């Protein structure tokens, strides 16, 4: 897309995915790229399931597919150059979270420089969040940061996919693909229905080197899966509150989840599973699901170890008991704060007492708890951070982290902020019920990512501040809280992993090793990766 298009109203696709197929002609080769996540301590932990779901539907439809997995590759642009030199791909698709955007931007720019004839497609959480922020501004007839950010994104890639990508990808691959595809509208034809979610093929894990991902749960080799989409809650700091894809719950039926678990056990030998759902216990059938997971292990005469997220105020004794029986030994809970004032300002819906009760129930039933905490919310003070420290010391989680909030596009903290008076490039969010404020520096998310977590030994930065605490104050108090709690509870810091350095000699039969690049067998559809057949092949 040229710079002159940035002020135009985005053209949104209206054709159906079936009409986007290249019938009667040569199918385009699709290269899907996982950008690196340099902000993580270890990038080779969880596979990019969203991108692998898109790879699965494209491969099932008969398109030649390549997956370029740049996670954990230090000199990722060198690896990209090697792929661009040797690949015949006509379309390059990237998924990106907000912290991945600097790397995704560099990748998109390199593709345009080297292969200007190729089409570039950008999807994933970040463009979805930014588009949702823009859509809200259009509705209010009040263009602002969301509109500006989306115009910037539109100049990075030829096609932007916002929302669910499994249907939208076929439109993006069509010869007359529009600049913007809105797959985040529940009334639109690209937003996945419950039935469509059930019929999707499993993520194309065979298109990445599974053994290069290293994750364990209590000594059991583990991987991730997703049993449901969407979180219905409205926490102020959380992305996607304006996005149906990220907010509307869509639950997979228990039998589909069981089939995926069985596939991962029989095909890859996994006995450990991380459920990467926002909150497992939003599902009213969670106890039934746990019992079916236990029955699966009994059928195979084996045992699993599981880990996942729960919502504290929804957690019950029955859930805890069923989860332990299914193999859960860890749960992760976004308690966020030990301060009642901050929990109110977050719009968390859980009280300090709810959080303590959740942790006590888990421990009663043998479940370890990782407490996910954050600082830098509206109204944050030394006292509220002290309350968070004291709550951790009193309730004794088995692990925890403390992060500094950043105001992502698509969060109420971002979308409902106003320019701060008398200060340039600073925005202020005010929580209406209490009047407490949060100030945030204006960030270009395509160039800056060091707001996301950081090295615990002086590696954190803050781009937010409150009326009581400066940016330096927040960093100092965050570091102090984590050191004190880890010291008193005897919880070690998490280790980081060494990155891989790509060299041309790494590949025995070509420039890129299978840990970085894998290709589908054209026209094949692995039976082991399919739970249903929904999309017809374009060559049929």
């Amino acid at each position: 897309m040229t710079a002159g298009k940035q002020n135009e109203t985005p053209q949104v696709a209206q054709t159906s995915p079936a009409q986007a197929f290249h019938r009667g002609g040569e199918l385009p080769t699709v290269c899907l790229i996982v950008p690196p996540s340099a902000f993580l301590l270890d990038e080779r932990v969880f596979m990019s399931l969203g991108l692998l779901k898109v790879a699965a539907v494209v491969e099932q439809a008969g398109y030649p597919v390549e997956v370029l997995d740049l996670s954990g590759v230090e000199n990722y642009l060198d690896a990209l150059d090697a792929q661009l030199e040797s690949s015949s791909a006509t379309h390059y698709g990237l998924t990106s979270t907000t912290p991945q955007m600097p790397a995704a931007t560099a990748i998109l720019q390199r593709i345009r420089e080297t292969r200007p004839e190729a089409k570039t497609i950008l999807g994933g959480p970040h463009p979805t969040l930014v588009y949702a922020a823009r859509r809200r501004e259009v509705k209010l007839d009040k263009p602002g940061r969301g509109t500006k950010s989306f115009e910037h994104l539109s100049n990075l890639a030829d096609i932007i996919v916002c929302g669910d990508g499994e249907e939208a990808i076929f439109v993006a691959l069509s010869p007359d693909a529009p600049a913007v595809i809105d797959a985040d509208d529940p009334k639109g034809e690209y937003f996945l229905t419950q039935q469509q979610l059930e019929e999707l093929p499993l993520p194309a894990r065979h298109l990445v080197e599974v053994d290069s991902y290293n994750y364990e749960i209590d000594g059991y080799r583990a991987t991730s899966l997703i049993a449901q989409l969407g979180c219905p809650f409205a926490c102020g700091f959380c992305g996607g509150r304006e996005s149906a894809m990220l907010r509307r719950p869509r639950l997979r039926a228990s039998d589909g989840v069981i089939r995926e678990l069985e596939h991962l056990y029989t095909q890859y030998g996994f006995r450990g599973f991380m459920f990467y759902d926002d909150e497992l216990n939003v599902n009213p059938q969670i106890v039934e699901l746990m019992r079916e997971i236990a029955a699966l292990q009994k059928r195979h005469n084996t045992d699993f170890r599981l880990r996942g997220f729960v919502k504290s105020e929804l957690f019950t004794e029955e859930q805890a008991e069923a989860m332990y029986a299914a193999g859960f030994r860890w749960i992760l809970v976004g308690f966020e704060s030990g301060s009642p004032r901050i929990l109110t300002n977050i719009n968390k819906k859980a009280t300090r007492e709810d959080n303590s009760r959740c942790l006590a129930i888990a421990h009663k039933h043998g479940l370890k708890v990782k407490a996910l905490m954050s600082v830098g919310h509206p109204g944050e003070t030394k006292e509220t951070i002290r309350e968070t420290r004291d709550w951790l010391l009193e309730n004794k989680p088995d692990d925890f982290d403390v992060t500094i909030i950043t105001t992502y596009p698509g969060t109420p903290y971002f979308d409902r902020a106003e320019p701060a008076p008398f200060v340039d490039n600073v925005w202020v969010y005010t929580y209406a019920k209490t009047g407490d404020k949060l100030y945030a520096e204006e960030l270009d998310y395509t160039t800056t990512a060091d707001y996301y977590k950081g090295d615990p030994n002086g590696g954190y930065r803050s781009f937010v501040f409150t009326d009581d605490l400066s940016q330096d104050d927040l960093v100092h108090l965050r570091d102090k809280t984590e050191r004190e709690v880890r010291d008193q509870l005897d919880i070690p810091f998490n280790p980081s992993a060494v990155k891989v350095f790509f060299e041309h000699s790494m590949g025995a039969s070509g420039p890129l090793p299978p840990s970085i690049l894998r290709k589908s067998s054209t026209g094949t559809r692995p039976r082991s990766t399919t739970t249903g057949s929904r999309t017809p092949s374009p060559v049929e």
Side-chain angles (χ1 to χ4, degrees):
M1 179 176 288
T2 62
K5 293 185 178 180
Q6 64 180 355
N7 294 319
E8 296 176 3
T9 301
Q11 179 188 1
V12 178
Q14 299 297 325
T15 56
S16 70
Q19 294 172 331
F21 292 151
H22 297 248
R23 297 186 184 278
E26 183 179 353
L27 296 175
T29 298
V30 184
C31 179
L32 299 174
I33 302 176
V34 182
S37 303
F39 49 89
L40 296 179
L41 290 175
D42 186 352
E43 296 184 49
R44 287 273 173 165
V45 175
F46 298 124
M47 302 169 212
S48 179
L49 293 182
L51 180 132
L52 294 180
K53 285 166 62 182
V54 172
V57 297
V58 173
E59 183 183 50
Q60 185 185 66
Y63 290 79
V65 182
E66 302 173 352
V67 172
L68 184 67
D69 188 355
L70 299 177
S71 55
V73 179
E74 184 175 359
N75 58 331
Y76 64 93
L77 289 178
D78 291 339
L80 174 65
D81 286 339
Q83 197 278 345
L84 292 173
E85 290 172 7
S86 61
S87 174
S88 60
T90 57
H91 291 71
Y92 287 85
L94 280 77
T95 182
S96 184
T97 62
T98 301
Q100 287 176 308
M101 274 306 300
T105 299
I107 290 168
L108 288 166
Q109 289 172 341
R110 184 64 62 87
I111 294 170
R112 279 194 166 168
E113 292 168 1
T114 308
R115 295 281 305 281
E117 78 285 358
K119 292 290 186 181
T120 53
I121 306 166
L122 177 64
H126 183 74
T128 300
L129 292 171
V130 173
Y131 185 71
R134 176 197 175 277
R135 186 171 52 205
R136 179 177 181 272
E137 292 173 0
V138 170
K139 183 178 179 180
L140 296 174
D141 194 22
K142 188 179 179 181
R145 288 194 294 171
T147 300
K148 179 181 177 182
S149 296
F150 191 75
E151 289 172 351
H152 186 29
L153 282 185
S154 297
N155 286 319
L156 291 177
D158 298 302
I159 302 156
I160 306 291
V161 175
C162 310
D164 293 330
E166 292 86 353
E167 291 279 0
I169 186 62
F170 295 106
V171 183
L173 295 175
S174 66
D176 57 348
V180 180
I181 302 170
D182 184 357
D184 195 29
D185 179 2
K187 296 179 181 178
E189 55 192 321
Y190 314 124
F191 190 87
L192 291 179
T193 65
Q194 191 77 35
Q195 179 180 349
Q196 289 172 326
L197 179 63
E198 295 291 343
E199 294 174 348
L200 288 175
L202 298 181
R205 294 179 176 91
H206 59 284
L207 291 179
V208 295
E209 188 174 68
V210 172
D211 289 342
S212 68
Y213 283 81
N214 301 299
Y215 182 60
E216 291 185 351
I217 301 175
D218 286 1
Y220 288 58
R221 178 169 168 260
T223 191
S224 59
L225 74 157
I226 297 174
Q228 66 190 50
L229 303 176
C231 172
F233 297 96
C235 299
F237 61 88
C238 190
R241 299 311 86 202
E242 303 291 344
S243 164
M245 181 194 80
L246 296 168
R247 186 166 187 184
R248 178 169 295 195
R250 287 167 286 172
L251 312 177
R252 294 175 62 190
S254 295
D255 59 351
V257 177
I258 296 300
R259 284 196 299 272
E260 184 168 3
L261 287 169
E262 189 165 27
H263 165 72
L264 291 171
Y265 171 67
T266 59
Q267 184 78 11
Y268 297 103
F270 285 113
R271 293 168 59 203
F273 303 99
M274 171 68 183
F275 282 83
Y276 226 71
D277 308 29
D278 285 300
E279 294 100 3
L280 271 169
N281 58 343
V282 167
N283 183 354
Q285 304 302 318
I286 181 175
V287 172
E288 173 197 331
L289 174 60
M290 294 300 111
R291 290 171 179 163
E292 292 193 25
I293 294 173
L296 171 65
Q297 296 166 71
K298 186 175 181 180
R299 289 197 301 273
H300 285 278
N301 191 28
T302 189
D303 62 337
F304 294 161
R305 288 294 178 266
L306 297 91
R307 183 175 171 132
F309 299 86
V310 301
K311 192 80 167 69
S312 66
E313 72 272 25
L314 303 179
F315 196 55
T316 67
E317 300 261 5
E318 184 184 26
Q319 292 172 12
E321 183 177 8
M323 292 175 78
Y324 187 90
F328 268 86
R329 295 299 181 268
W330 280 91
I331 59 172
L332 300 91
V333 190
F335 298 119
E336 306 304 341
S337 179
S339 166
R341 174 182 178 181
I342 297 301
L343 291 173
T344 296
N345 289 349
I346 290 173
N347 195 32
K348 187 64 184 173
K349 307 300 184 187
T351 65
R352 181 184 171 108
E353 292 70 29
D354 288 330
N355 293 339
S356 297
R357 179 191 58 80
C358 171
L359 207 151
I361 289 174
H363 281 170
K364 176 182 175 181
H365 290 276
L367 298 172
K368 296 178 181 179
V369 179
K370 181 170 184 178
L372 308 176
M373 316 301 289
S374 53
V375 298
H377 296 284
E380 198 83 77
T381 66
K382 289 183 180 179
E383 177 59 30
T384 61
I385 294 178
R386 187 180 302 114
E387 288 177 306
T388 292
R389 181 204 63 186
D390 292 347
W391 184 88
L392 288 167
L393 293 174
E394 176 186 342
N395 288 276
K396 298 179 174 59
D398 304 278
D399 195 4
F400 75 102
D401 65 21
V402 183
T403 59
I404 299 175
I405 283 298
T406 297
T407 58
Y408 284 6
T411 68
Y413 285 1
F414 181 99
D415 294 350
R416 289 167 171 75
E418 300 288 341
F422 314 118
V423 185
D424 292 334
N425 297 317
V426 173
W427 294 71
V428 57
Y429 165 86
T430 305
Y431 185 60
K433 292 183 180 179
T434 63
D436 282 332
K437 293 178 170 58
L438 176 67
Y439 302 87
E441 283 187 39
E442 181 74 355
L443 285 175
D444 181 352
Y445 290 99
T446 65
T447 60
T448 304
D450 53 358
Y451 54 82
Y452 186 92
K453 295 197 175 182
D455 186 329
N457 298 312
Y460 274 79
R461 292 186 65 188
S462 174
F463 292 89
V464 299
F465 57 96
T466 68
D467 285 322
D468 290 89
L469 297 177
S470 69
Q471 292 156 280
D472 289 342
D473 290 337
L474 283 168
V475 172
H476 169 72
L477 291 169
R478 191 225 71 85
D479 291 350
K480 181 173 183 288
T481 298
E482 181 155 15
R483 284 195 304 270
E484 289 180 356
V485 174
R486 288 191 181 277
D487 181 60
Q488 293 191 44
L489 297 185
D490 195 23
I491 299 174
F493 284 96
N494 294 315
S496 60
V498 177
K499 295 183 184 297
V500 173
F501 194 86
F502 162 71
E503 296 178 4
H504 280 270
S505 61
M506 290 173 65
S509 59
L512 288 167
S515 62
I516 296 178
L517 178 66
R518 292 205 168 193
K519 301 180 181 181
S520 66
S521 298
T522 305
T524 63
R525 304 177 197 172
R527 293 170 61 89
S528 61
T529 62
T530 304
T531 57
S533 179
R534 173 175 54 85
T535 306
S537 168
V539 296
E540 291 175 346

